[in-house]
Amino acid sequence: MARPDKAASVAELEDQFRSSNAAVLTEYRGLTVAQLKTLRRSLGENAQYAVVKNTLTKIAANQAGITALDDQFTGPTAVAFVTGDPVESAKALRDFAKDNPNLIIKGGVLEGKALSADEIKKLADLESREVLLSKLAGAFKGKQSQAAQLFQALPSKLVRTVDALRAKQAEQGGAE
C-alpha cells in the first residue's frame, strides 16, 4: 500500500499536469538554491517550477495520460508547469540556461504533444502571442485598406470608361 504522503504528492502532480498548458522537464544538478530562486522569479506568475521525485512524477504523468516523457525521468529533475503563454516560459528557461549552463532542458509536453529539448528551444525563438496577434491584426488591416482602395477605384474607373465611350461616340457622330 502506498504511503498517504506519496499518494498525495502523486495526486498533486497529476493535477498540475492536467491543469497546465505545458510542462518542461529540466535537470538542475549544480544549481544553488539562490539560482533556483532566481529561475522561479524569471518564469513569472504563469509557471510554477518544482523539484520533483522521478518515480512519483512518472506515475503522475502516466495517470494524466502523458507517457511520452517516461524515459526523461532520470537524474535530478525539476518541472516547470506552465499555465500561461508557453513561449514566455520557454524563453525564460532558455535565457536562464544560457547564463547557467548547469540547467539542462530535457524535454517537455505542450498540450499533450511531447517536445524534445530542441523543439522547446525553437518554441522559445517564437515571438510572444501578443506580438503575433498584433502582426496578424496589422496584416488584416492592410488587406482591408487595399480592398477599400480597390472598391473605390472600380466606380471611378467605370466613370472614366463611360466618359471615354461618350466622347468616342460624340466624335464618331460628329464625323458622319
Side-chain angles (χ1 to χ4, degrees):
M1 179 95 188
R3 291 187 358 209
D5 58 333
K6 288 187 178 182
S9 294
V10 168
E12 182 181 339
L13 287 168
E14 179 185 355
D15 183 50
Q16 286 181 314
F17 273 113
R18 289 187 191 279
S19 64
S20 299
N21 300 5
V24 180
L25 275 63
T26 63
E27 184 177 318
Y28 64 93
R29 183 181 293 146
L31 292 176
T32 65
V33 173
Q35 288 171 321
L36 287 174
K37 188 176 181 181
T38 303
L39 174 58
R40 284 185 177 105
R41 260 190 258 125
S42 71
L43 286 172
E45 297 201 8
N46 66 346
Q48 181 183 2
Y49 190 74
V51 174
V52 295
K53 292 190 178 276
N54 288 331
T55 307
L56 299 179
T57 309
K58 184 177 178 178
I59 292 168
N62 287 334
Q63 289 178 357
I66 301 168
T67 57
L69 302 176
D70 286 354
D71 57 338
Q72 295 180 5
F73 290 112
T74 57
T77 304
V79 182
F81 293 103
V82 182
T83 54
D85 185 9
V87 174
E88 258 181 58
S89 298
K91 282 182 183 184
L93 285 167
R94 179 201 57 197
D95 293 345
F96 188 85
K98 281 182 185 175
D99 296 337
N100 301 282
N102 288 335
L103 181 75
I104 299 168
I105 299 172
K106 294 180 178 182
V109 62
L110 175 64
E111 296 179 358
K113 181 187 178 289
L115 298 175
S116 68
D118 290 334
E119 290 173 322
I120 291 172
K121 289 174 185 170
K122 286 179 185 175
L123 181 67
D125 292 336
L126 290 176
E127 294 174 331
S128 71
R129 182 176 188 270
E130 290 77 19
V131 171
L132 291 174
L133 287 174
S134 66
K135 284 185 174 183
L136 182 64
F140 280 139
K141 184 178 179 186
K143 294 297 178 188
Q144 286 177 340
S145 65
Q146 285 177 346
Q149 289 173 355
L150 176 67
F151 291 137
Q152 288 175 350
L154 288 175
S156 63
K157 188 173 182 180
L158 177 66
V159 168
R160 285 194 302 270
T161 304
V162 169
D163 284 345
L165 280 172
R166 281 187 191 146
K168 187 174 182 179
Q169 285 177 347
E171 191 177 292
Q172 287 176 350
E176 291 178 17

